Amino acid sequence: QGKGLGGGDSIEVSSDAGAFLLGCQPYMVDLMLLPILERVEALLLHPSLGGQSSGHVLGDWPRVTKMLATARKPGVCSFSELCSDAETLLDISLREDPKAPPLDSVPGPSLLDAARSAAGHDAEARRDAAARI
């Protein structure tokens, strides 16, 4: 075992050490990496980039899948409060790519269906969503 971060010795990371890079609890390195992994996951699922049919899915990297799933659980770390949905991540990631097809061409709910779905949530969930915008 090393002396810790910055101690000069290397730290070994085993596959059963926990969901995060250095064990069961997230450190700054995990919190910095999670948004990047989240965007990669969203991009791998996008239909114009091959979607799941391309064979590129995060399931091929079980440590990454486990790390994202654990970090998304409420109460584990701040990432669960800040993570985003795949559609928003794609909009952000592809907004300036002239070769990317318009995301409106990807089938999704109509505006009316989306409004009905949003109205079905309780007032606290709607306030929480509005606060995140």
Side-chain angles (χ1 to χ4, degrees):
Q1 290 290 337
K3 296 177 186 174
L5 296 177
D9 291 338
S10 64
I11 298 173
E12 291 184 32
V13 179
S14 69
S15 60
D16 60 345
F20 300 102
L21 294 176
L22 299 175
C24 295
Q25 96 189 108
Y27 287 89
M28 182 56 83
V29 66
D30 299 296
L31 296 175
M32 292 171 61
L33 187 59
L34 284 165
I36 297 166
L37 296 176
E38 183 183 47
R39 281 191 181 186
V40 168
E41 178 185 52
L43 288 170
L44 289 176
L45 295 175
H46 191 269
S48 72
L49 302 174
Q52 289 189 357
S53 63
S54 68
H56 300 294
V57 292
L58 281 184
D60 294 338
W61 298 287
R63 288 283 313 259
V64 172
T65 304
K66 181 179 178 183
M67 184 178 189
L68 277 169
T70 303
R72 286 179 174 137
K73 292 179 185 171
V76 173
C77 67
S78 60
F79 182 74
S80 67
E81 299 296 321
L82 302 172
C83 61
S84 193
D85 62 286
E87 185 177 343
T88 302
L89 290 168
L90 285 169
D91 285 343
I92 292 168
S93 297
L94 300 176
R95 70 179 168 237
E96 295 183 23
D97 183 358
K99 295 178 280 181
L103 292 174
D104 340 13
S105 65
V106 178
S110 70
L111 184 58
L112 183 59
D113 290 338
R116 284 185 185 133
S117 176
H121 294 287
D122 66 7
E124 181 61 31
R126 291 193 306 264
R127 276 193 294 277
D128 181 55
R132 293 171 188 254
I133 294 177

